[in-house]
Amino acid sequence: MTLRTVRRALVGLAAAALTTTALTATASAAPADAGPGHGGHTATQAAMEAQVEAGVPGLLGQARDGDGIWQGSAGVADLRTGRERLPQDRFRVGSITKAFVSTVLLQLEAEGRLGLDDTVEHHLPGLVRGNGNDGSRITLRQLLSHTSGVYNYTEDPDVHAQLSTGFPEHRYESRTPRQLVAVALKHRPDFRPGTRWHYSNTNYILAGMIVEKVTGHPYGHEIDRRILGPLGMRSTSLPGSSPLMPSPHGRAYSKLLSTDPQAPVQDVTELNPTWAWSAGEIISTTGDLNRFYRALLGGKLLPERQQKELTTTVSGGDELPGARYGLGVATVTLSCGVPVWFHGGGIHGSVSMASGTADGRHTAAFNLNGDWSGDPGALLEAEYCGTVASGSGTGEHTAVRKLAALN
């Protein structure tokens, strides 16, 4: 697969996420030498610095491989003070949340408490109906693989306006999961269940509701006791309706989806994430994301049957050129022939990427603290292939942003 095709695929995934002047890059790296297939993480650091030169305020990255842990940064965490980004900084991970939700549902299947071929109607009777929507025809597997056809509520014009130009007015408002689903059900389905692929945050709102129906507990409680606690992910949290970020953290910057290059940069660090809920509310660190992907891909969280279901993929068609989607994770073969599992996550002022090889022995996680520029796909190419490319984040580089956005 060519580098051009790979980057179209990666940007296609990250563009399902939300979608200042260039700063001088700064860098810090913990001692770690050669990574698999290339000499150390020099290319990764260079790719991060290229993102800053292209306009991203700051980046944070961590890689784990057979040689240990490498930590890198570029740019700043705070445009006002100039503070550099710290390895322990928390940030919003957006749609990377989806892998946590799918893992819980797969664990529940392994326990015999539900089946992936159960219908939505079976667990949430009467909820998904009207305008051609029929929960009795949609399975849990189709929710997790984005093949349900249910409309993406963040594509609704009113919601989109609230998340973009109306963000200053609506940033602290709370939404309930049922309200988010109701927005989606005002629209007809995009297609018959199981016939196509289209990224829809509504799928994972429904998945979170099913976790709560089956367990009788908040879905965040199940993530905490099944994943965060056992893995020691002490820097990861689910904020609920709180707009605040736990310390330490930098700032998050956005142009609120404006396509105007001269649009003002706004500080969007504080927001009520209930509009994302189980589709994208988690806060974490690069270290915790690597810990999660290492365990998930390494088979430490799921039995063999459920691990196979996690990584059984469907084509994303023209939306995900060159990539395939499993259950909350996606895969692409990079230009150097290395297959990588990954998911992006985008929410106001934060674009993140979590990734790993199939065995989980080499993982890498990144965060960009601006949502209008940058190329997460270039970071994967740099880390796993040693390829340094431009950080422009335009044109063909828009495919990893698809999965990283929540619009």
Side-chain angles (χ1 to χ4, degrees), residues 235-251:
S235 297
T236 301
S237 58
L238 293 93
S241 61
S242 172
L244 304 178
M245 289 287 296
S247 294
H249 67 84
R251 311 304 296 176

Side-chain angles (χ1 to χ4, degrees), residues 65-109:
D65 57 28
D67 294 307
I69 299 175
W70 173 88
Q71 195 79 43
S73 68
V76 299
D78 189 318
L79 289 171
R80 183 179 62 84
T81 67
R83 173 172 87 77
E84 295 183 4
R85 301 206 67 178
L86 305 174
Q88 62 269 35
D89 275 350
R90 273 77 162 174
F91 49 84
R92 301 185 192 276
V93 308
S95 287
I96 296 173
T97 300
K98 292 176 171 66
F100 291 83
V101 174
S102 67
T103 298
V104 170
L105 277 171
L106 286 165
Q107 288 180 348
L108 290 171
E109 183 193 49

Side-chain angles (χ1 to χ4, degrees), residues 1 6 9-10 13 36-37 293 297 311 313 322-324 329-343 354-364 380-381 383-385:
M1 182 178 292
V6 166
L10 292 174
L13 281 181
Y293 258 57
L297 297 175
T311 56
T313 61
R324 296 181 65 86
V329 291
T331 186
V332 68
T333 299
L334 300 176
S335 63
C336 57
V338 174
V340 173
W341 288 90
F342 73 103
H343 208 291
S355 65
T357 52
D359 58 8
R361 294 182 181 178
H362 184 179
T363 60
L380 297 190
E381 284 284 336
E383 175 58 29
Y384 295 98
C385 297

Side-chain angles (χ1 to χ4, degrees), residues 385-402:
C385 297
T387 302
V388 183
S390 166
S392 65
T394 60
E396 67 186 10
H397 307 163
T398 55
V400 137
R401 290 182 70 92
K402 178 112 189 174

Side-chain angles (χ1 to χ4, degrees), residues 89-149:
D89 275 350
R90 273 77 162 174
F91 49 84
R92 301 185 192 276
V93 308
S95 287
I96 296 173
T97 300
K98 292 176 171 66
F100 291 83
V101 174
S102 67
T103 298
V104 170
L105 277 171
L106 286 165
Q107 288 180 348
L108 290 171
E109 183 193 49
E111 295 164 8
R113 301 174 71 178
L114 56 77
L116 288 189
D117 294 317
D118 291 350
T119 65
V120 173
E121 178 70 15
H122 175 75
H123 293 285
L124 302 173
L127 180 62
V128 180
R129 291 183 182 172
N131 286 325
N133 296 283
D134 185 351
S136 69
R137 297 176 178 272
I138 300 169
T139 67
L140 275 58
R141 188 187 310 275
Q142 290 165 344
L143 293 181
L144 299 182
S145 64
H146 293 297
T147 57
S148 72

Side-chain angles (χ1 to χ4, degrees), residues 17-337:
L18 264 185
T19 92
T20 175
T21 58
L23 300 167
T24 301
T26 60
S28 63
D33 294 322
H38 61 88
H41 304 273
T42 304
T44 308
Q45 183 63 50
M48 293 172 64
E49 293 174 2
Q51 309 278 319
V52 173
E53 292 171 3
V56 178
L59 286 86
L60 197 57
Q62 188 199 81
R64 295 183 62 174
D65 57 28
D67 294 307
I69 299 175
W70 173 88
Q71 195 79 43
S73 68
V76 299
D78 189 318
L79 289 171
R80 183 179 62 84
T81 67
R83 173 172 87 77
E84 295 183 4
R85 301 206 67 178
L86 305 174
Q88 62 269 35
D89 275 350
R90 273 77 162 174
F91 49 84
R92 301 185 192 276
V93 308
S95 287
I96 296 173
T97 300
K98 292 176 171 66
F100 291 83
V101 174
S102 67
T103 298
V104 170
L105 277 171
L106 286 165
Q107 288 180 348
L108 290 171
E109 183 193 49
E111 295 164 8
R113 301 174 71 178
L114 56 77
L116 288 189
D117 294 317
D118 291 350
T119 65
V120 173
E121 178 70 15
H122 175 75
H123 293 285
L124 302 173
L127 180 62
V128 180
R129 291 183 182 172
N131 286 325
N133 296 283
D134 185 351
S136 69
R137 297 176 178 272
I138 300 169
T139 67
L140 275 58
R141 188 187 310 275
Q142 290 165 344
L143 293 181
L144 299 182
S145 64
H146 293 297
T147 57
S148 72
V150 176
Y151 185 85
N152 182 4
Y153 70 91
T154 54
E155 293 177 355
D156 176 84
D158 291 338
V159 173
H160 187 270
Q162 292 174 15
L163 298 178
S164 54
T165 55
F167 175 78
E169 177 185 355
H170 297 282
R171 67 189 301 171
Y172 296 115
E173 291 180 0
S174 288
R175 289 91 164 173
T176 68
R178 285 186 174 269
Q179 287 174 329
L180 301 178
V181 172
V183 170
L185 298 181
K186 292 191 301 182
H187 302 266
R188 293 190 59 79
D190 292 320
F191 49 82
R192 286 188 299 109
T195 62
R196 283 176 48 199
W197 189 93
H198 181 64
Y199 194 85
S200 174
N201 290 299
T202 313
N203 288 323
Y204 276 78
I205 300 298
L206 291 167
M209 295 175 74
I210 290 168
V211 168
E212 296 195 342
K213 182 67 177 292
V214 170
T215 65
H217 300 136
Y219 92 97
H221 171 81
E222 293 298 319
I223 287 177
D224 187 52
R225 79 176 189 88
R226 293 170 178 271
I227 302 174
L228 307 187
L231 295 184
M233 296 175 63
R234 297 182 181 88
S235 297
T236 301
S237 58
L238 293 93
S241 61
S242 172
L244 304 178
M245 289 287 296
S247 294
H249 67 84
R251 311 304 296 176
Y253 298 101
S254 178
K255 292 188 178 182
L256 302 181
L257 301 181
S258 174
T259 58
D260 180 1
Q262 303 305 316
V265 173
Q266 301 192 39
D267 187 322
V268 294
T269 308
E270 292 187 4
L271 59 85
N272 183 330
T274 53
W275 70 266
W277 199 56
S278 55
E281 74 164 296
I282 285 179
I283 293 170
S284 191
T285 63
T286 53
D288 270 9
L289 290 179
N290 277 327
R291 188 172 290 111
F292 173 54
Y293 258 57
R294 189 178 184 89
L296 181 62
L297 297 175
K300 302 295 174 52
L301 291 174
L302 297 171
E304 183 176 354
R305 177 187 166 194
Q306 280 68 36
Q307 190 76 11
K308 184 176 180 180
E309 290 175 328
L310 175 81
T311 56
T312 297
T313 61
V314 296
S315 170
D318 292 340
E319 286 193 63
L320 302 181
R324 296 181 65 86
Y325 199 89
L327 303 183
V329 291
T331 186
V332 68
T333 299
L334 300 176
S335 63
C336 57

